[in-house]
Amino acid sequence: MDVVLRAWTTDRLTYEGKYFRCDGIEVLPKPLQRPHPPVWLAASSPDAIRRAAAAGFTIMMDPHSTHREIAEKRQLYRAQLEAAGHSIAGREVPVARLLAIAPTRSAAEEAARRGARWLVGSYAGPQHQSLTGVIGFGVAAGQPAAPVDPIERYLDGVVLWGTPEAIVDEVARLREEMSLDYLLCAPLSHESFVLFTDEVLPRIL
């Protein structure tokens, strides 16, 4: 981040750090915004949230933590911002959520389950560490891991799934319970995309 911000705000970049070095490099084009564009940092762990807050950066909330965990992380972010002399007022804090919508609850659940299986498989192959040790998969930093079925965990608290009416209600609940104000959706099917656009979005804007 230090390199990027300096590249945006100086005519020529000279930098010598632990991992990166450069001398008199001109980075073009320069951003239109002054002093630079808004900065969003993806932050999953408490340490990443603390670093972002200390620097006054806005964070993007991860797509793997449960709704409850997202609410806790947002509270931590707000407290750390205030401790560093910054305010959360006026900030958009994006929250990434997977989305499965269908005309019936059972069809939506099946789409959500297929998506959860694919996602877990992407992380849990033989080349990866166990999910029970990964922060953001139900593991809190510094806490012992508890046995968890990752697919059921996604269905119970990560994926937004259901009929259009159920999704409208769920978004309203999340607005209240975790201060959701910026939703980044990843639809798990074409039908989910269409139903969200046609039947959900007009009712939640």
Side-chain angles (χ1 to χ4, degrees), residues 118-200:
W118 174 84
L119 190 62
V120 169
S122 298
Y123 285 89
Q127 72 276 26
H128 301 296
Q129 64 176 306
S130 168
L131 287 180
T132 57
V134 178
I135 293 173
F137 279 85
V139 179
Q143 299 296 319
V148 61
D149 181 332
I151 292 173
E152 293 304 321
R153 180 181 170 279
Y154 271 96
L155 291 176
D156 290 342
V158 179
V159 182
L160 297 178
W161 64 271
T163 63
E165 293 75 16
I167 298 299
V168 169
D169 291 342
E170 182 71 352
V171 169
R173 182 180 72 83
L174 295 180
R175 277 176 165 165
E176 179 69 23
E177 294 181 6
M178 63 185 235
S179 302
L180 177 67
D181 58 9
Y182 195 120
L183 179 63
L184 292 175
C185 291
L188 292 172
S189 67
H190 177 70
E191 182 176 49
S192 297
F193 176 82
V194 172
L195 288 174
F196 183 78
T197 301
D198 292 349
E199 298 189 27
V200 175

Side-chain angles (χ1 to χ4, degrees), residues 21-203:
R21 294 183 180 89
C22 54
D23 184 21
I25 293 177
E26 185 178 25
V27 179
L28 295 174
K30 296 297 185 190
L32 177 65
Q33 296 100 321
R34 293 290 184 267
H36 55 71
V39 176
W40 289 353
L41 296 186
S44 297
S45 70
D47 283 345
I49 292 170
R50 292 187 186 100
R51 285 194 302 270
F57 295 135
T58 298
I59 60 172
M60 297 177 64
M61 306 296 276
D62 69 272
H64 305 297
S65 295
T66 64
H67 309 322
R68 178 184 56 79
E69 291 163 346
I70 290 289
E72 292 171 354
K73 290 178 181 182
R74 187 182 174 103
Q75 290 176 353
L76 172 63
Y77 175 61
R78 179 175 191 144
Q80 293 294 309
L81 273 176
E82 293 173 352
H86 306 292
S87 173
I88 201 169
R91 291 176 186 263
E92 295 177 326
V93 181
V95 177
R97 298 286 84 176
L98 300 166
L99 184 68
I101 310 177
T104 66
R105 177 180 169 83
S106 61
E109 180 179 5
E110 180 54 34
R113 192 174 295 278
R114 282 196 311 269
R117 286 195 197 104
W118 174 84
L119 190 62
V120 169
S122 298
Y123 285 89
Q127 72 276 26
H128 301 296
Q129 64 176 306
S130 168
L131 287 180
T132 57
V134 178
I135 293 173
F137 279 85
V139 179
Q143 299 296 319
V148 61
D149 181 332
I151 292 173
E152 293 304 321
R153 180 181 170 279
Y154 271 96
L155 291 176
D156 290 342
V158 179
V159 182
L160 297 178
W161 64 271
T163 63
E165 293 75 16
I167 298 299
V168 169
D169 291 342
E170 182 71 352
V171 169
R173 182 180 72 83
L174 295 180
R175 277 176 165 165
E176 179 69 23
E177 294 181 6
M178 63 185 235
S179 302
L180 177 67
D181 58 9
Y182 195 120
L183 179 63
L184 292 175
C185 291
L188 292 172
S189 67
H190 177 70
E191 182 176 49
S192 297
F193 176 82
V194 172
L195 288 174
F196 183 78
T197 301
D198 292 349
E199 298 189 27
V200 175
L201 204 53
R203 297 165 62 184

